[in-house]
Amino acid sequence: MRCLTRRRVRPDFVEGCPAITSQSPQLSPFRIEHVRMSDEKSAKAELKDEMLKQVKSPQFVVVALLFVVFELVIVFGIDTSSRREELQWHWLSLYFLILCGLTPITMDSKLFFRGGIADDATDTQSSALVGSSAFISWIFAKSITNASKKGGSYGICGGFGYAAWYLAFPSAAVACYQLRRKGYKSLPGAIHAKYGTCAVLVFACCVLYRLYNEVWSNSRVIADFYGRETKNYKLDDGTTETVDASDPWWAAAIIATALPLCYVFAGGMRSSLLSDSAQAFLAVVTLAVVLVAIQYERASNDDLRKFAKSYSHWGLFQWVPKPELSPLSLKGGMDMFALGAVQGGFSYAFFDPVLTDRCFLADPKTMARCFTVGGFAAAWFITLFSIIGVHGSMLGKCVSAGYCDSSDLRGADVAQVTAGAPHAVAQTLGTVLFSFINIIMVTSGISTLDSTFTSVAKLVGPDVHGFLTTGKPMPL
């Protein structure tokens, strides 16, 4: 029975134990279900023991000491103009303590590149890890920023339009399900078998460029909550003046990149999956709090209500930033929806190994279900986050029209608020909600970055290195 239980959860730890399937003649259906339930309980207990062991490890002690040093630097060494700015650095420091301190160092290749999830895993823990990781990994900090800005430009239709790209989830699930039925272990392996050597190299170069873009695009979005980015300003005489990014902006961008790199370097896919599940829960809860708070802010602003009703509509789902354009017209946002549906449904997913690497984890049918649910949840998250931009558009136009007092902006730039920039809209909501929106941004950005670094490791390691040494990508 020891072999039966351990084989389902961590097949790489126990060798020589035969696989258990529903066709095993010596086990009744009731017995098979009992074994599965025992497997899930064993997996939860093992994960709990792993966390407790990690808290007592020298690694956690070192990280805790560094956390104390960082906190002292934040309190006494960083010159911040407000309590709000100082608070945001504490969030980054706390992320460092939790993620780098609780991530175990992984020496096993299957744990590092596959997260310890077997090809035939159907247990609840594996399903939850794959589904939550796919969900949060594709809620890029850059994506939710774009969704918010599209909400500022087109209203809620902008959010729905941007969510069309998330058809990539079922598209990738169906395609990779078929590839796995044919025996392929990875997307590069399938490309090599079908199209040959040159195709694998070209694909690897394209994917590496895509992953590079994911790193800097997510880091810079997080950094916007900590300082000023490099900007070009047009002067009255027609010339352009360039203002360099502030030091806090650069510091936040570097920290946001280095933090996930550290714990992924230590734990690989295993650390990415475990951290993603926690970050997915945090992002959903935080967004719910923000949306409720926005509705409360709106309800207490009579000037905003009067303006919205006279300009377009008071409801966030009915607000149209450009009343002369129908939300159902191409110029009103439907062109973006159509483009997103085409790209998401047919091509977008297959050049993002953050998504496709997870398509080869767990049982194929289990993976397909996880991706369907995860993709649906991610699309709704993107759509709901665009409400932040919708609120910003309404408030910015109200201030510009003179209905609302400029003090409602709380120092934010009215043009950026109207455009739906998350960091500007967050500034109008006060310190607490600014922190909450920053937490969403840091969570989505770091979860995407850790998945990106995990994909780079797999692409450069088993895929490209395996190809150079053996002539084909190395299966795991």
Side-chain angles (χ1 to χ4, degrees):
M1 181 56 65
R2 178 178 177 82
C3 285
L4 299 181
T5 303
R6 295 296 296 275
R7 179 69 179 176
R8 298 292 297 175
V9 182
R10 300 288 285 276
D12 49 305
F13 276 17
V14 181
E15 298 181 358
C17 298
I20 301 302
T21 67
S22 58
Q23 289 76 29
S24 300
Q26 69 273 25
L27 294 178
S28 66
F30 175 79
R31 188 58 176 165
I32 292 172
E33 184 63 25
H34 175 72
V35 170
R36 288 177 178 172
M37 292 177 64
S38 299
D39 291 345
E40 293 178 7
K41 291 181 180 179
S42 176
K44 292 179 180 178
E46 186 176 346
L47 181 60
K48 181 179 179 180
D49 292 342
E50 184 179 348
M51 291 293 101
L52 291 175
K53 181 180 178 181
Q54 188 63 24
V55 171
K56 300 176 183 179
S57 67
Q59 174 190 342
F60 185 82
V61 173
V62 172
V63 171
L65 291 175
L66 290 175
F67 168 76
V68 173
V69 173
F70 293 157
E71 285 295 303
L72 293 175
V73 171
I74 292 171
V75 174
F76 299 105
I78 296 182
D79 183 17
T80 56
S81 58
S82 67
R83 174 64 178 170
R84 185 193 69 215
E85 294 179 5
E86 180 182 325
L87 183 60
Q88 309 319 310
W89 291 104
H90 289 297
W91 294 127
L92 277 181
S93 180
L94 185 60
Y95 266 80
F96 167 76
L97 173 65
I98 296 174
L99 295 176
C100 292
L102 297 179
T103 299
I105 298 175
T106 301
M107 305 301 293
D108 184 273
S109 61
K110 289 188 176 181
L111 276 177
F112 190 90
F113 291 111
R114 295 187 58 84
I117 299 180
D119 289 335
D120 61 346
T122 58
D123 56 279
T124 304
Q125 180 184 335
S126 298
S127 301
L129 288 176
V130 173
S132 60
S133 182
F135 160 72
I136 192 65
S137 295
W138 248 51
I139 302 178
F140 311 146
K142 183 63 175 177
S143 292
I144 59 178
T145 297
N146 288 340
S148 181
K149 290 181 177 179
K150 296 305 178 185
S153 300
Y154 301 103
I156 197 65
C157 286
F160 279 117
Y162 202 84
W165 268 272
Y166 286 74
L167 286 172
F169 275 81
S171 175
V174 170
C176 292
Y177 175 81
Q178 296 298 328
L179 290 175
R180 293 184 65 179
R181 287 186 61 189
K182 296 179 183 298
Y184 296 111
K185 300 296 184 181
S186 67
L187 188 56
I191 292 174
H192 178 267
K194 290 289 185 179
Y195 303 105
T197 302
C198 184
V200 173
L201 292 177
V202 172
F203 176 77
C205 291
C206 293
V207 167
L208 281 173
Y209 178 72
R210 165 64 190 269
L211 293 173
Y212 163 75
N213 282 333
E214 285 189 8
V215 173
W216 69 261
S217 63
N218 283 277
S219 297
R220 68 185 296 182
V221 169
I222 295 175
D224 284 341
F225 280 78
Y226 293 85
R228 182 193 67 250
E229 187 182 3
T230 300
K231 290 187 178 297
N232 296 320
Y233 296 93
K234 288 186 178 181
L235 304 179
D236 295 336
D237 58 1
T239 60
T240 301
E241 180 183 1
T242 300
V243 178
D244 294 333
S246 61
D247 292 339
W249 189 93
W250 278 111
I254 293 172
I255 292 173
T257 305
L259 197 158
L261 178 61
C262 289
Y263 70 82
V264 167
F265 186 83
M269 178 69 82
R270 182 66 176 172
S271 64
S272 178
L273 292 175
L274 292 176
S275 61
D276 284 349
S277 61
Q279 292 181 95
F281 175 79
L282 178 62
V284 170
V285 172
T286 309
L287 179 61
V289 172
V290 169
L291 294 180
V292 171
I294 285 178
Q295 188 60 31
Y296 177 79
E297 285 275 332
R298 284 161 34 81
S300 60
N301 193 330
D302 293 333
D303 293 334
L304 181 62
R305 180 186 291 106
K306 293 178 182 178
F307 167 77
K309 289 181 177 180
S310 65
Y311 184 86
S312 173
H313 200 284
W314 171 239
L316 289 171
F317 280 85
Q318 291 81 32
W319 168 262
V320 180
K322 299 176 181 179
E324 67 274 11
L325 296 178
S326 169
L328 299 180
S329 67
L330 289 178
K331 291 185 179 180
M334 287 299 102
D335 54 349
M336 180 174 61
F337 180 86
L339 176 62
V342 171
Q343 285 191 340
F346 293 99
S347 66
Y348 193 66
F350 304 105
F351 280 91
D352 189 359
V354 167
L355 195 65
T356 56
D357 283 352
R358 284 156 177 75
C359 287
F360 290 86
L361 300 177
D363 174 77
K365 289 184 179 180
T366 300
M367 175 277 298
R369 288 193 294 266
C370 292
F371 267 64
T372 301
V373 175
F376 181 79
W380 266 108
F381 188 98
I382 284 288
T383 302
L384 293 175
F385 193 90
S386 69
I387 291 177
I388 294 176
V390 176
H391 172 68
S393 171
M394 187 183 297
L395 179 61
K397 289 182 180 295
C398 182
V399 173
S400 298
Y403 275 79
C404 297
D405 193 270
S406 59
S407 62
D408 291 339
L409 298 175
R410 298 181 180 175
D413 180 70
V414 65
Q416 290 189 330
V417 172
T418 306
H423 68 279
V425 180
Q427 190 173 342
T428 69
L429 299 172
T431 299
V432 175
L433 290 182
F434 185 93
S435 295
F436 271 72
I437 295 178
N438 183 33
I439 290 173
I440 297 175
M441 203 64 64
V442 171
T443 298
S444 61
I446 287 180
S447 65
T448 300
L449 288 170
D450 71 34
S451 301
T452 300
F453 292 134
T454 301
S455 296
V456 170
K458 182 180 177 297
L459 183 66
V460 175
D463 292 339
V464 174
H465 181 262
F467 170 78
L468 294 176
T469 55
T470 64
K472 61 180 180 180
M474 185 184 302
L476 293 170

